[in-house]
């Protein structure tokens, strides 16, 4: 297998759970403390060896391309003023990394978004990263874990973790043939099942490394009741061949920042780890909870 060097970031979603904040910016630009979700995701990808970043955007939102713009005039100003710490903060992407922006056109679902990257990806395995699934940096790199497992098994691999019963209907759910290790063959996968229909509690997390075979399957995938093409439905078709799709158990700490609660939890967790503010934040939370 060729090296896996391309990652797709679907960022054209409507972000309805975060309106009105998402009227003019994608939800992936919401910050955890001072860094947008998309930047954490890009840093994870680059640390895993990705060198081409493909953003599937919605035409009216330019905030993500602006965020990764080198901003030469501002750099020059900070440079002439000797403000190295600000220059460092402006460097949102290292040199040598290619950025590609593809408008999704219509918001027709995650599968449709991934399909837009077909021509740029070509005949290679590639990664898909959903930035609103925030995985706290500092632990094992989840994208690297998937890349290693895909190379080892010559197959597509996706991230999973157990989710509570009341969240099962919010995620893709997979059932595995558990061999006792972290990487297992998937036996069934279904998008957002009702709890009573779910094959397990293993939720699909927004990290995937996929074979280019997926593009053909996405082209054959029917829209769901809501008119969306689901990536999970194409992944289910991968199961027509044996040992073609694996699940890797997520090792990191993940927050679903597509929901308000997950976003606030991620913010508090990171604030308690941020040397500049952690002591004050701890004191503040204690003061709030004293009389509860
Ligand atoms: C998408 C996928 C779902 C997956 C989830 C992870 O859903 O369709 O299978 O479990 O991401 O966050 P969405 O969050 O876009 O509704």
């Amino acid at each position: 297998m060729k090296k896996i060097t391309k990652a797709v970031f679907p960022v054209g979603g409507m972000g309805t759970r975060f309106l009105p904040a998402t009227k003019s910016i994608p939800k992936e630009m919401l910050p955890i403390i001072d860094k947008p979700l998309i930047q954490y995701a890009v840093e994870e990808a680059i640390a895993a060896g990705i060198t081409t970043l493909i953003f599937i955007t919605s035409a009216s939102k330019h905030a993500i391309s602006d965020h990764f713009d080198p901003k030469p005039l501002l750099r020059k100003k900070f440079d002439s003023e000797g403000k190295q710490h600000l220059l460092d903060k402006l460097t949102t992407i290292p040199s040598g990394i290619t950025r590609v922006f593809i408008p999704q056109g219509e918001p027709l679902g995650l599968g449709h978004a991934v399909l837009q990257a077909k021509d740029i990806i070509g005949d290679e395995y590639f990664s898909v990263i959903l930035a609103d699934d925030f995985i706290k940096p500092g632990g094992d790199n989840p994208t690297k874990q998937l890349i290693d497992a895909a190379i080892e098994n010559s197959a597509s691999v996706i991230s999973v973790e157990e989710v509570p019963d009341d969240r099962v209907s919010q995620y893709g759910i997979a059932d595995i043939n558990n061999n006792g290790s972290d990487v297992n063959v998937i036996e069934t996968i279904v998008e957002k099942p009702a709890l009573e229909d779910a094959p397990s509690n293993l939720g699909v997390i927004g990290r995937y490394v996929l074979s280019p075979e997926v593009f053909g399957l996405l082209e054959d995938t029917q829209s769901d009741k809501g008119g969306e093409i689901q990536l999970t439905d194409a992944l289910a078709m991968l199961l027509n061949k044996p040992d073609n799709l694996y699940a890797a158990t997520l090792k990191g700490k993940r927050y679903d920042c597509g929901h308000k609660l997950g976003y606030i939890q991620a913010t508090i967790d990171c604030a308690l780890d941020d040397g500049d503010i952690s002591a004050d934040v701890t004191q503040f939370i204690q003061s709030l909870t004293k009389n509860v």
Side-chain angles (χ1 to χ4, degrees), residues 276-292:
D276 289 343
I277 55 172
S278 61
D280 288 339
V281 173
T282 307
Q283 213 176 36
F284 177 64
I285 292 173
Q286 282 165 352
S287 77
L288 287 179
T289 52
K290 209 167 45 195
N291 300 318
V292 176

Side-chain angles (χ1 to χ4, degrees), residues 3-9 38-55 67-68 91-99 127 129 141-144 147 207:
K3 271 175 91 177
I4 297 167
T5 59
K6 294 175 183 165
V8 177
F9 300 86
I38 189 67
Q39 194 181 331
Y40 288 99
V42 159
E43 287 174 3
E44 176 189 315
I46 293 172
I50 298 294
T51 52
T52 299
L53 314 172
I54 303 162
F55 300 95
H67 181 73
F68 291 111
T91 311
T92 45
I93 229 165
S95 58
I97 301 294
T98 303
R99 289 160 290 155
S127 140
I129 301 184
N141 182 319
T143 293
K144 177 83 171 61
I147 288 177
R207 299 292 185 279

Side-chain angles (χ1 to χ4, degrees), residues 3 45 99 106 121 139 141 177 198 208 226 234 247 260 262 264 267 284:
K3 271 175 91 177
R99 289 160 290 155
E106 290 175 89
I121 300 282
N141 182 319
N177 182 359
Y208 310 73
K260 284 188 219 175
I264 295 300
T267 303
F284 177 64

Side-chain angles (χ1 to χ4, degrees), residues 17 110 130 132-133 170-172 191-192 204-206 208 230 232 254 256:
R17 286 189 209 104
L110 179 58
L130 308 186
D132 62 350
D133 260 332
Q170 293 172 6
Y171 300 110
E191 179 70 358
K192 301 185 178 143
V204 176
I205 304 313
Y208 310 73
Q230 298 299 344
T232 304
R254 168 249 186 184
D256 183 348

Side-chain angles (χ1 to χ4, degrees), residues 14 36 50 69 84 117 155 174 195 202 228 231 233 258 268 274:
M14 289 182 287
I50 298 294
D69 187 276
Q84 186 58 42
L195 180 60
L202 276 186
E228 296 198 343
L231 180 59
D233 292 343
I268 293 172
D274 182 322

Side-chain angles (χ1 to χ4, degrees), residues 1-181:
M1 191 191 291
K2 272 200 214 155
K3 271 175 91 177
I4 297 167
T5 59
K6 294 175 183 165
V8 177
F9 300 86
V11 291
M14 289 182 287
T16 46
R17 286 189 209 104
F18 278 93
L19 280 170
T22 47
K23 259 181 97 177
S24 61
I25 57 161
K27 66 179 170 203
E28 293 79 7
M29 280 301 294
L30 296 173
I32 302 291
I33 317 288
D34 54 4
K35 205 193 275 190
L37 288 166
I38 189 67
Q39 194 181 331
Y40 288 99
V42 159
E43 287 174 3
E44 176 189 315
I46 293 172
I50 298 294
T51 52
T52 299
L53 314 172
I54 303 162
F55 300 95
I56 312 298
T57 64
S58 99
S60 61
K61 296 180 186 170
H62 303 290
I64 290 185
S65 56
D66 285 353
H67 181 73
F68 291 111
D69 187 276
K71 299 269 183 291
L73 291 179
L74 206 50
R75 292 195 77 84
K76 215 166 148 191
K77 174 176 151 57
F78 290 154
D79 196 26
S80 67
E81 293 168 356
K83 293 181 173 160
Q84 186 58 42
H85 64 293
L86 294 180
L87 269 175
D88 291 345
K89 293 218 165 190
L90 271 189
T91 311
T92 45
I93 229 165
S95 58
I97 301 294
T98 303
R99 289 160 290 155
V100 181
F101 296 90
I102 303 177
Q104 188 176 352
E106 290 175 89
L108 296 180
L110 179 58
H112 177 259
V114 171
L115 189 51
Q116 308 312 305
K118 180 179 177 221
D119 291 343
I120 303 278
I121 300 282
D123 193 24
E124 294 170 25
Y125 275 69
F126 63 101
S127 140
V128 177
I129 301 184
L130 308 186
D132 62 350
D133 260 332
F134 173 72
I135 295 166
K136 198 177 165 201
D140 285 344
N141 182 319
T143 293
K144 177 83 171 61
Q145 182 197 16
L146 296 188
I147 288 177
D148 290 345
I151 291 172
E152 193 178 324
N153 296 290
S154 300
S156 300
V157 189
I158 66 177
S159 236
V160 296
E161 79 172 359
E162 274 194 24
V163 296
D165 281 359
D166 61 346
R167 315 274 307 268
V168 158
S169 63
Q170 293 172 6
Y171 300 110
I173 299 290
D175 197 12
I176 57 171
N177 182 359
N178 196 338
N179 63 15
S181 82

